[in-house]
CSV table of all heavy atoms in Angstrom, one decimal:
chain,number,residue,atom,x,y,z
G,103,LEU,N,1.9,23.5,-16.7
G,103,LEU,CA,1.0,24.3,-17.5
G,103,LEU,C,1.1,25.8,-17.3
G,103,LEU,O,1.0,26.7,-18.2
G,103,LEU,CB,-0.4,23.9,-17.2
G,103,LEU,CG,-0.8,22.5,-17.7
G,103,LEU,CD1,-2.2,22.1,-17.2
G,103,LEU,CD2,-0.8,22.4,-19.2
G,104,VAL,N,1.4,26.2,-16.0
G,104,VAL,CA,1.6,27.6,-15.7
G,104,VAL,C,2.8,28.1,-16.4
G,104,VAL,O,2.8,29.3,-16.9
G,104,VAL,CB,1.6,27.8,-14.1
G,104,VAL,CG1,2.1,29.2,-13.8
G,104,VAL,CG2,0.3,27.5,-13.6
G,105,GLU,N,3.9,27.3,-16.3
G,105,GLU,CA,5.1,27.8,-17.0
G,105,GLU,C,4.9,27.9,-18.5
G,105,GLU,O,5.4,28.9,-19.1
G,105,GLU,CB,6.3,26.8,-16.7
G,105,GLU,CG,6.7,26.9,-15.3
G,105,GLU,CD,7.7,25.8,-15.0
G,105,GLU,OE1,8.0,24.9,-15.8
G,105,GLU,OE2,8.3,25.8,-13.8
G,106,MET,N,4.1,27.0,-19.1
G,106,MET,CA,3.9,27.1,-20.5
G,106,MET,C,3.0,28.3,-20.8
G,106,MET,O,3.3,29.0,-21.8
G,106,MET,CB,3.2,25.9,-21.0
G,106,MET,CG,4.0,24.6,-21.1
G,106,MET,SD,3.2,23.1,-21.5
G,106,MET,CE,2.1,23.5,-22.7
G,107,ALA,N,2.0,28.7,-19.9
G,107,ALA,CA,1.2,29.8,-20.2
G,107,ALA,C,2.0,31.1,-20.0
G,107,ALA,O,1.8,32.1,-20.7
G,107,ALA,CB,0.0,29.8,-19.2
G,108,GLU,N,2.9,31.1,-19.0
G,108,GLU,CA,3.7,32.3,-18.8
G,108,GLU,C,4.8,32.5,-20.0
G,108,GLU,O,5.1,33.7,-20.3
G,108,GLU,CB,4.5,32.2,-17.5
G,108,GLU,CG,3.6,32.4,-16.3
G,108,GLU,CD,4.3,32.1,-15.0
G,108,GLU,OE1,5.5,31.7,-15.0
G,108,GLU,OE2,3.7,32.4,-13.9
G,109,ASP,N,5.2,31.4,-20.6
G,109,ASP,CA,6.1,31.6,-21.7
G,109,ASP,C,5.4,32.1,-23.0
G,109,ASP,O,6.1,32.5,-23.9
G,109,ASP,CB,6.8,30.2,-22.0
G,109,ASP,CG,7.8,29.8,-20.8
G,109,ASP,OD1,8.1,30.8,-20.0
G,109,ASP,OD2,8.1,28.6,-20.7
G,110,ASP,N,4.1,31.8,-23.1
G,110,ASP,CA,3.4,32.2,-24.3
G,110,ASP,C,3.0,33.7,-24.1
G,110,ASP,O,2.1,34.0,-23.3
G,110,ASP,CB,2.1,31.3,-24.4
G,110,ASP,CG,1.5,31.5,-25.8
G,110,ASP,OD1,2.0,32.2,-26.6
G,110,ASP,OD2,0.4,30.8,-26.0
G,111,PRO,N,3.6,34.6,-24.9
G,111,PRO,CA,3.3,36.0,-24.8
G,111,PRO,C,2.0,36.5,-25.4
G,111,PRO,O,1.7,37.7,-25.3
G,111,PRO,CB,4.5,36.7,-25.3
G,111,PRO,CG,4.9,35.7,-26.4
G,111,PRO,CD,4.6,34.4,-25.9
G,112,THR,N,1.2,35.7,-26.1
G,112,THR,CA,0.1,36.1,-26.8
G,112,THR,C,-1.0,36.5,-25.8
G,112,THR,O,-1.2,36.0,-24.7
G,112,THR,CB,-0.5,35.0,-27.7
G,112,THR,OG1,-0.8,33.9,-26.9
G,112,THR,CG2,0.6,34.6,-28.7
G,113,PRO,N,-1.9,37.5,-26.2
G,113,PRO,CA,-3.0,37.9,-25.4
G,113,PRO,C,-4.0,36.8,-25.1
G,113,PRO,O,-4.6,36.8,-24.0
G,113,PRO,CB,-3.6,39.1,-26.1
G,113,PRO,CG,-2.6,39.4,-27.2
G,113,PRO,CD,-1.7,38.3,-27.4
G,114,GLU,N,-4.2,36.0,-26.1
G,114,GLU,CA,-5.1,34.9,-25.9
G,114,GLU,C,-4.7,33.9,-24.7
G,114,GLU,O,-5.5,33.4,-23.9
G,114,GLU,CB,-5.3,34.0,-27.2
G,114,GLU,CG,-5.9,34.7,-28.4
G,114,GLU,CD,-4.8,35.5,-29.2
G,114,GLU,OE1,-3.6,35.2,-29.0
G,114,GLU,OE2,-5.2,36.3,-30.0
G,115,ALA,N,-3.4,33.7,-24.7
G,115,ALA,CA,-2.9,32.8,-23.5
G,115,ALA,C,-3.1,33.5,-22.2
G,115,ALA,O,-3.5,32.8,-21.2
G,115,ALA,CB,-1.4,32.5,-23.8
G,116,ARG,N,-2.8,34.8,-22.2
G,116,ARG,CA,-3.1,35.5,-20.9
G,116,ARG,C,-4.5,35.5,-20.5
G,116,ARG,O,-4.9,35.4,-19.4
G,116,ARG,CB,-2.6,36.9,-21.0
G,116,ARG,CG,-1.1,37.1,-20.9
G,116,ARG,CD,-0.6,38.5,-20.7
G,116,ARG,NE,0.6,38.6,-21.5
G,116,ARG,CZ,0.7,39.5,-22.5
G,116,ARG,NH1,-0.3,40.2,-22.9
G,116,ARG,NH2,1.8,39.5,-23.2
G,117,GLU,N,-5.4,35.7,-21.5
G,117,GLU,CA,-6.9,35.6,-21.3
G,117,GLU,C,-7.3,34.2,-20.8
G,117,GLU,O,-8.1,34.1,-19.9
G,117,GLU,CB,-7.6,36.0,-22.6
G,117,GLU,CG,-9.1,36.2,-22.4
G,117,GLU,CD,-9.4,37.4,-21.6
G,117,GLU,OE1,-8.7,38.4,-21.5
G,117,GLU,OE2,-10.5,37.3,-20.9
G,118,ARG,N,-6.7,33.2,-21.4
G,118,ARG,CA,-7.1,31.9,-21.0
G,118,ARG,C,-6.7,31.6,-19.5
G,118,ARG,O,-7.4,31.0,-18.7
G,118,ARG,CB,-6.4,30.8,-21.8
G,118,ARG,CG,-7.1,30.5,-23.1
G,118,ARG,CD,-6.6,29.2,-23.8
G,118,ARG,NE,-5.2,29.2,-23.9
G,118,ARG,CZ,-4.5,29.5,-25.0
G,118,ARG,NH1,-5.1,30.0,-26.0
G,118,ARG,NH2,-3.2,29.4,-25.0
G,119,THR,N,-5.5,32.1,-19.1
G,119,THR,CA,-5.0,32.0,-17.7
G,119,THR,C,-5.9,32.7,-16.8
G,119,THR,O,-6.3,32.3,-15.7
G,119,THR,CB,-3.5,32.5,-17.6
G,119,THR,OG1,-2.8,31.9,-18.6
G,119,THR,CG2,-3.0,32.3,-16.3
G,120,LYS,N,-6.3,34.0,-17.2
G,120,LYS,CA,-7.2,34.8,-16.4
G,120,LYS,C,-8.6,34.1,-16.2
G,120,LYS,O,-9.2,34.0,-15.1
G,120,LYS,CB,-7.4,36.2,-16.9
G,120,LYS,CG,-8.1,37.1,-16.1
G,120,LYS,CD,-8.2,38.5,-16.8
G,120,LYS,CE,-9.1,39.4,-16.0
G,120,LYS,NZ,-9.2,40.7,-16.6
G,121,ASN,N,-9.1,33.6,-17.3
G,121,ASN,CA,-10.4,32.8,-17.3
G,121,ASN,C,-10.3,31.6,-16.4
G,121,ASN,O,-11.3,31.3,-15.7
G,121,ASN,CB,-10.8,32.5,-18.7
G,121,ASN,CG,-11.3,33.7,-19.5
G,121,ASN,OD1,-11.6,34.8,-18.9
G,121,ASN,ND2,-11.4,33.6,-20.8
G,122,ALA,N,-9.2,30.9,-16.5
G,122,ALA,CA,-9.1,29.7,-15.6
G,122,ALA,C,-9.0,30.0,-14.1
G,122,ALA,O,-9.6,29.4,-13.3
G,122,ALA,CB,-7.8,28.9,-16.0
G,123,ALA,N,-8.4,31.2,-13.8
G,123,ALA,CA,-8.3,31.6,-12.4
G,123,ALA,C,-9.7,32.1,-12.0
G,123,ALA,O,-10.1,31.7,-10.9
G,123,ALA,CB,-7.3,32.7,-12.3
G,124,ASN,N,-10.5,32.8,-12.8
G,124,ASN,CA,-11.8,33.2,-12.5
G,124,ASN,C,-12.7,32.0,-12.3
G,124,ASN,O,-13.5,31.9,-11.4
G,124,ASN,CB,-12.4,34.1,-13.5
G,124,ASN,CG,-11.7,35.5,-13.5
G,124,ASN,OD1,-11.2,35.9,-12.5
G,124,ASN,ND2,-11.8,36.2,-14.6
G,125,PHE,N,-12.6,31.0,-13.2
G,125,PHE,CA,-13.4,29.8,-13.1
G,125,PHE,C,-13.1,29.0,-11.8
G,125,PHE,O,-14.1,28.6,-11.1
G,125,PHE,CB,-13.1,28.9,-14.3
G,125,PHE,CG,-13.8,27.6,-14.1
G,125,PHE,CD1,-15.2,27.5,-14.4
G,125,PHE,CD2,-13.2,26.4,-13.8
G,125,PHE,CE1,-15.9,26.3,-14.3
G,125,PHE,CE2,-13.8,25.2,-13.7
G,125,PHE,CZ,-15.1,25.1,-13.9
G,126,ARG,N,-11.8,28.9,-11.4
G,126,ARG,CA,-11.5,28.3,-10.1
G,126,ARG,C,-12.1,29.0,-8.9
G,126,ARG,O,-12.6,28.4,-8.0
G,126,ARG,CB,-10.0,28.2,-10.0
G,126,ARG,CG,-9.4,27.0,-10.6
G,126,ARG,CD,-8.0,26.7,-10.1
G,126,ARG,NE,-7.1,27.9,-10.2
G,126,ARG,CZ,-6.4,28.2,-11.3
G,126,ARG,NH1,-6.5,27.5,-12.4
G,126,ARG,NH2,-5.6,29.3,-11.3
Side-chain angles (χ1 to χ4, degrees):
L103 290 174
V104 167
E105 288 172 357
M106 287 171 43
E108 288 175 352
D109 291 343
D110 192 2
T112 61
E114 294 88 15
R116 282 193 222 114
E117 188 66 28
R118 278 195 310 263
T119 306
K120 185 178 177 184
N121 288 341
N124 288 338
F125 174 74
R126 275 195 308 272

